Amino acid sequence: MILSLAAVAAMSSGGGSSLNSSSPLDTFDSSTSWSLAEDLSNSSSEPVVRTLTPDLQPATTAVAIQEVNPWDIALCVTGTLISCENALVIAVLFYTPTLRAPMFILIGSLAVADLLAGLGLILNFVFTYLVDSSVEYVTLLSVGLLISAFSASVFNILAITVDRYLSLYNALTYHTERTVTFTYVMVVVIWVLCLTLGLLPALGWNCLRDESSCSICWPVTKINAVALAVTFLLVFALMMQLYLQICKIAFRHAQQIAVQHQFVAISTTKGVSTLSAILCAFGACWLPFAMYSIVANSSYPVIYTYATVLPATCCSVINPIIYAFRNPDIQKSLWMACCGCVPSNLSLRPRTSSDV
């Protein structure tokens, strides 16, 4: 949801320059010299007619260069990093036939969402500084792509959490064809919902005609931004509840296996620490932006918007590390693709969805 922040900054700081540019004197080109020419045909006592005529000299056109905001550069660099990471994940999943389990389907969907988010950040920079951003369809295209991509990223993280919970709660029936079908249905529902959210600005939920109704992310309306923020808070609360249930099930399994009690206890404690790190990273990235979207509007300083948007985009940088590169199967595929070998210290134990 990183929208035309540079446009907002320009609107808030460019008022004085726009007044100067409308001065009548600016219509005369400074590179053209002007001279007074007399009408020599009037040789009588009639008043001499003087006309102001320009000398025919090559004129140079002054090109106004828009100053690049450092925050936009940071967002563009972040988008490039996001795109590279997730493109690597998608390539590994696509060219490895053994990675077709429900868990990898969800990881692939998350990688596609984050890849689109990274490309959206790059396109937003291009549209702001290299393309005429005053064209409505350009702005709405950038807005729709970013809303759809980041929404899909958040919902795919929720889907991965649900998948992990079901793999523990229904451990005996999880590895069935029904699970694969359920996973594909869940992915389709997520993308249909997120594409619909991305189309809302183009369908009229924008503040292009009424700037007083704008949120901190132009041209999204305040109502739309609050609805998205509240939806995120509900998703985050549901994730916390699911991870809490995962921890309870894991501890219950640890107590039931008395022979491996010490090993399982250590493993469970490590798993709980990993879950806590995942939730803390997700909350630290998205909560500031969600809360600020609820309380603030377009009249607030744009630097606060940038300061909350940048951590939110960093969540898409962390996602491949948490959900893909930590997976031993994906690590093995990466090693095979890079050097044709697998390190001896790499765990070859089959990875399940309940692993964190």
Side-chain angles (χ1 to χ4, degrees):
M1 294 179 288
I2 325 308
L3 312 180
S4 303
L5 299 179
V8 178
M11 291 168 58
S12 60
S13 62
S17 61
S18 62
L19 293 177
N20 293 334
S21 63
S22 62
S23 174
L25 295 177
D26 293 341
T27 59
F28 296 95
D29 194 344
S30 58
S31 63
T32 304
S33 61
W34 297 78
S35 63
L36 288 174
E38 296 185 359
D39 188 356
L40 299 179
S41 62
N42 291 335
S43 57
S44 61
S45 60
E46 296 179 359
V48 177
V49 179
R50 287 180 169 86
T51 58
L52 191 62
T53 59
D55 292 341
L56 298 178
Q57 296 179 357
T60 58
T61 304
V63 179
I65 301 177
Q66 183 178 357
E67 183 179 357
V68 180
N69 192 321
W71 287 98
D72 288 322
I73 297 177
L75 289 174
C76 185
V77 172
T78 303
T80 304
L81 180 60
I82 292 171
S83 301
C84 294
E85 280 184 321
N86 289 280
L88 180 60
V89 174
I90 295 172
V92 170
L93 295 176
F94 183 80
Y95 288 105
T96 308
T98 57
L99 303 180
R100 295 294 183 268
M103 172 182 57
F104 297 112
I105 295 173
L106 295 174
I107 291 176
S109 179
L110 174 63
V112 171
D114 286 333
L115 174 63
L116 292 177
L119 294 176
L121 292 174
I122 298 173
L123 289 177
N124 186 66
F125 182 87
V126 172
F127 289 161
T128 301
Y129 295 101
L130 302 179
V131 180
D132 186 6
S133 59
S134 63
V135 181
E136 289 188 5
Y137 77 86
V138 171
T139 301
L140 295 176
L141 174 62
S142 175
V143 167
L145 177 59
L146 289 170
I147 291 179
S148 297
F150 281 107
S151 299
S153 178
V154 171
F155 280 110
N156 275 292
I157 293 175
L158 175 62
I160 292 175
T161 307
V162 172
D163 179 69
R164 288 176 171 176
Y165 171 74
L166 292 177
S167 67
L168 286 173
Y169 186 76
N170 299 322
L172 297 179
T173 61
Y174 176 78
H175 297 282
T176 61
E177 186 65 28
R178 188 178 67 175
T179 303
V180 177
T181 304
F182 174 76
T183 303
Y184 278 113
V185 171
M186 189 162 49
V187 169
V188 171
V189 170
I190 286 173
W191 280 102
V192 170
L193 174 61
C194 295
L195 290 175
T196 303
L197 292 176
L199 287 174
L200 289 180
L203 295 177
W205 285 45
N206 60 67
C207 57
L208 293 175
R209 301 290 183 270
D210 183 14
E211 294 183 0
S212 62
S213 63
C214 283
S215 65
I216 58 174
C217 294
W218 184 84
V220 178
T221 62
K222 176 68 175 179
I223 296 176
N224 196 0
V226 170
L228 291 172
V230 171
T231 301
F232 164 78
L233 295 177
L234 293 176
V235 168
F236 183 68
L238 182 57
M239 286 180 57
M240 291 183 63
Q241 180 64 24
L242 288 173
Y243 274 129
L244 180 61
Q245 296 299 321
I246 290 174
C247 292
K248 289 182 179 180
I249 295 174
F251 278 117
R252 190 183 307 125
H253 289 176
Q255 294 175 357
Q256 291 174 351
I257 307 175
V259 177
Q260 301 177 351
H261 183 270
Q262 183 178 2
F263 169 77
V264 175
I266 295 174
S267 176
T268 304
T269 303
K270 181 180 178 181
V272 171
S273 301
T274 304
L275 290 177
S276 302
I278 292 174
L279 279 176
C280 289
F282 184 73
C285 290
W286 278 106
L287 280 177
F289 179 70
M291 299 301 297
Y292 187 67
S293 298
I294 295 175
V295 301
N297 53 41
S298 58
S299 63
Y300 281 59
V302 71
I303 189 173
Y304 297 149
T305 304
Y306 278 113
T308 55
V309 159
L310 188 59
T313 61
C314 290
C315 185
S316 295
V317 178
I318 302 173
N319 287 340
I321 301 173
I322 293 177
Y323 298 102
F325 296 143
R326 290 177 58 249
N327 188 288
D329 296 318
I330 295 180
Q331 289 179 8
K332 182 170 66 174
S333 298
L334 284 173
W335 278 103
M336 291 297 296
C338 293
C339 60
C341 61
V342 179
S344 58
N345 60 346
L346 183 63
S347 174
L348 298 179
R349 177 181 64 87
R351 187 86 167 180
T352 64
S353 297
S354 58
D355 294 330
V356 292

